[in-house]
Amino acid sequence: MLGAVTAADAGPTLDAINARGKIKVGVGTSPGFFAPDSNGKWQGFFVDFGRALAVTVFNDPEKVEFTSSSPQQRLPSLQAGEFDVLLSGVTQTITRSFKLGFHFGPVVFYDGQGLLVKKSLGVSKGADLNGATIGIQSGTTGELNIADFFRKNKNTFKPVVIEETKELRTALESGRVDALTQDATDLAITRVQLTKPDDYVLLPERLSKEPLAPAIRSGDDRWLEVVNWTVYATIQAEELGITKANVDSLLESDDPEIKRFLGTDKSLGEAIGLDPKFAYNIVKAVGNYGEIYERNVGKGTKLDFERGYNQLWTKGGLLYSPPFR
């Protein structure tokens, strides 16, 4: 066994991963979610899930290679085999599943499209932007969503389609556009990067549902399940109250659910062909979902995001793990 997944249980993607000794992950470039630090090491919310995958497969969070890919190129690059998985804030949609042939893992971040506007416009909602010039990033679901929004409100707008995020910021600050529309998280990041952030406001409404999930090529069920249960392990750990700080002490727990989850009862891991302690190893390396969230984008970080929908189901959110049984 090269890593945590036996060769006998592997599919084509896992065969390739085991042969090269690392996982190739496609990411974006947004501080808090995915960005290299001053030493060139990738850090961020989605990056931590890439490291968690490396733990599941190799029990080594460093056996992963992160490559930035633009919204226009990320899906073609995944299809071409340049990545094993995309963790670049991809929205799960029906056409991407059926028409383009991608599989999606569990939603790791529930987002929604928003509008970032100049305060001087004096608007409080998107419907007030009738006739406005709106900057939109190409290659995203945002182009269709904003058109639907204005059509639904029987308003008009002038779209300015821009490829690079930096150019979007420049367009807003220079007055080339009146507003920007992207996922609300992206707009929150954009706002803090503007020269005068307080001159702009992120409107409270959301124009769409943007469930962001890991994406893989179709045709490899085993790899999909590895992705699925790696994400679920972080969620289940938080629900069980298991953290990086207490995971070792819980190895002595008599709770049968915790014993199965952490692998002190080896029967579950052996039955599914994974290292029985894969969930323990994930928590030890990167923490549970809540720790990943708060460390990278939560309260106290520059982004200062509330959990909102990205809270456990037991606390009014949408995060829910199937049973580890």
Side-chain angles (χ1 to χ4, degrees):
M1 185 167 65
L2 178 59
V5 182
T6 62
D9 292 318
T13 302
L14 283 168
D15 285 341
I17 289 169
N18 278 325
R20 81 169 79 94
K22 63 183 176 183
I23 301 172
K24 290 186 175 182
V25 177
V27 294
T29 50
S30 294
F33 288 96
F34 19 57
D37 62 17
S38 57
N39 296 316
K41 184 174 182 177
W42 283 90
Q43 305 288 352
F45 176 83
F46 286 102
V47 169
D48 279 344
F49 284 98
R51 292 203 170 98
L53 278 170
V55 170
T56 300
V57 177
F58 296 112
N59 192 18
D60 186 341
E62 300 306 318
K63 288 193 173 183
V64 58
E65 177 182 286
F66 298 101
T67 303
S68 176
S69 187
S70 71
Q72 300 78 23
Q73 294 301 318
R74 58 191 178 181
L75 290 173
S77 295
L78 176 63
Q79 192 67 270
E82 294 179 27
F83 310 125
D84 302 310
V85 59
L86 267 182
L87 283 165
S88 59
V90 183
T91 300
Q92 181 177 4
T93 71
I94 191 169
T95 53
R96 286 172 173 172
S97 296
F98 278 88
K99 187 176 180 180
L100 300 182
F102 295 108
H103 287 323
F104 290 88
V107 174
V108 293
F109 197 95
Y110 289 92
D111 206 351
Q113 190 169 332
L115 286 158
L116 181 66
V117 304
K118 298 177 181 178
K119 283 184 179 177
S120 60
L121 292 179
V123 302
S124 60
K125 58 185 184 299
D128 296 335
L129 288 168
N130 189 25
T133 301
I134 311 290
I136 311 163
Q137 189 164 35
S138 61
T140 68
T141 54
E143 295 182 70
L144 300 176
N145 293 336
I146 193 67
D148 285 348
F149 175 78
F150 274 89
R151 191 180 301 115
K152 187 184 302 182
N153 284 281
K154 296 181 171 55
N155 287 337
T156 62
F157 77 107
K158 179 182 177 182
V160 176
V161 181
I162 296 171
E163 183 170 339
E164 297 294 332
T165 301
K166 184 177 180 180
E167 190 180 344
L168 280 170
R169 295 199 301 269
T170 301
L172 184 63
E173 290 188 300
S174 68
R176 181 183 171 195
V177 300
D178 300 308
L180 299 179
T181 187
Q182 285 179 294
D183 289 353
T185 49
D186 290 326
L187 293 176
I189 294 167
T190 294
R191 182 179 173 276
V192 300
Q193 293 174 331
L194 296 171
T195 305
K196 296 181 178 180
D198 290 341
D199 288 352
Y200 303 85
V201 61
L202 179 59
L203 298 182
E205 66 194 307
R206 296 295 173 261
L207 316 186
S208 68
K209 295 183 291 185
E210 302 294 334
L212 309 183
I216 70 169
R217 293 181 298 280
S218 61
D220 196 336
D221 293 345
R222 181 66 177 177
W223 177 230
L224 176 62
E225 293 302 339
V226 168
V227 172
N228 287 344
W229 290 95
T230 295
V231 174
Y232 290 142
T234 69
I235 297 170
Q236 183 66 23
E238 183 178 12
E239 185 175 337
L240 292 172
I242 302 173
T243 68
K244 288 184 74 171
N246 70 15
V247 67
D248 284 327
S249 65
L250 287 171
L251 290 174
E252 305 300 322
S253 173
D254 291 327
D255 184 321
E257 185 177 16
I258 291 177
K259 290 177 70 173
R260 284 194 304 272
F261 182 72
L262 294 181
T264 53
D265 175 353
K266 297 183 179 181
S267 59
L268 177 64
E270 290 170 349
I272 61 178
L274 294 180
D275 182 335
K277 295 183 72 175
F278 85 96
Y280 162 84
N281 294 333
I282 288 171
V283 177
K284 188 71 173 175
V286 300
N288 66 34
Y289 181 95
E291 291 178 292
I292 293 170
Y293 187 101
E294 295 298 340
R295 178 171 64 242
N296 291 295
V297 300
K299 305 300 289 183
T301 68
K302 287 185 178 180
L303 298 182
D304 203 34
F305 288 152
E306 298 281 356
R307 286 285 294 269
Y309 289 133
N310 298 297
Q311 185 62 271
L312 294 177
W313 67 284
T314 52
K315 297 182 179 179
L318 297 177
L319 296 183
Y320 187 104
S321 170
F324 276 69
R325 178 178 290 279

